[in-house]
Amino acid sequence: MGPLFCQNWSVTTGVRQGGVLSPVLFAVHVNDIITRVEGSGYGCEIAGKCVGILMYADDLLLISATCNGLCRLIEICEQEMAWLDMQFNARKSCMVRCEPRYNKECADILLNGVPLIRGKTFKYLGILFEVGRKLKVSLAAKRMKFFRAFNYIYGCVGATASHMVLCHLLKRSACQSYSTG
């Protein structure tokens, strides 16, 4: 019996968001991006290791000591994504500089042919970062969310609840606001 062929068919949707296999399948697909970026040498040296990429699920952060190095990292990522028939969304991306010359102009950094927006802040994994001469973590929004939850709980139970009950309720609700964003 010779080779058997079926009719061609196209895949019109990806894996289900929140599905059990979704993270595993996504990781298999994007692993080459991480490998190529780490092997490129265009990252920043952190604790004696060249780090050019941080990735959690589909949140990607490229790190380079120079604008030229960042362009090379983006090119590597674009090549890998093209091979997967995927593209990054330039509208959801930005470029920041964190150094003494952070506010000096440099050439446009392109992603899929679109100049990246230059930002003074960016959010990664629910944490807001502020850039300037140094990188700063901004917890103001998290702090406000905590106090909002505390005030709501205290307004509901007030002085009628014991300190233990208040602490337990805060632990359950308000402290989750720090971990879930």
Side-chain angles (χ1 to χ4, degrees), residues 30-42:
V30 299
N31 188 57
D32 288 343
I33 293 174
I34 297 168
T35 304
R36 281 200 55 207
V37 166
E38 286 298 313
S40 72
Y42 289 114

Side-chain angles (χ1 to χ4, degrees), residues 64-93:
S64 180
T66 66
C67 290
N68 184 51
L70 182 59
C71 289
R72 301 294 81 78
L73 292 178
I74 290 173
E75 286 172 9
I76 290 168
C77 291
E78 286 176 332
Q79 290 167 4
E80 287 297 319
M81 291 296 277
W83 190 84
L84 295 169
D85 198 25
M86 296 172 74
Q87 273 192 340
F88 290 107
N89 187 343
R91 290 189 317 262
K92 289 185 174 182
S93 305

Side-chain angles (χ1 to χ4, degrees), residues 33-38 40 42-44 46 51-56 59-67 69-78 81 88 93-98 109-111 116 122 124 135:
I33 293 174
I34 297 168
T35 304
R36 281 200 55 207
V37 166
E38 286 298 313
S40 72
Y42 289 114
C44 290
I46 300 173
V51 177
I53 188 169
L54 297 176
M55 188 169 197
Y56 181 81
D59 287 329
L60 179 74
L61 183 67
L62 295 176
I63 305 167
S64 180
T66 66
C67 290
L70 182 59
C71 289
R72 301 294 81 78
L73 292 178
I74 290 173
E75 286 172 9
I76 290 168
C77 291
E78 286 176 332
M81 291 296 277
F88 290 107
S93 305
C94 73
M95 191 279 276
V96 297
R97 288 178 76 176
C98 181
I109 307 288
L110 303 178
L111 177 62
L116 286 175
F122 68 96
Y124 185 68
L135 186 65

Side-chain angles (χ1 to χ4, degrees), residues 140-159:
K142 299 282 184 189
R143 193 177 304 116
M144 189 169 25
K145 198 170 185 179
F146 171 82
F147 282 113
R148 194 177 304 131
F150 173 80
N151 288 332
Y152 176 77
I153 291 168
Y154 193 74
C156 289
V157 296

Side-chain angles (χ1 to χ4, degrees), residues 3 10 15-16 30 37 45 52 57 85 88 96 104 115 119 123 130 133-134 139 156 159 163 166 168 171:
S10 62
V15 294
R16 197 178 114 235
V30 299
V37 166
E45 189 172 314
D85 198 25
F88 290 107
V96 297
K104 300 288 185 210
K123 203 171 193 180
E130 297 173 351
R133 290 184 173 276
K134 296 184 178 188
L139 295 176
C156 289
H163 294 302
L166 278 174
H168 180 72
K171 182 178 177 184

Side-chain angles (χ1 to χ4, degrees), residues 15-23:
V15 294
R16 197 178 114 235
Q17 187 167 358
V20 176
L21 282 178
S22 300

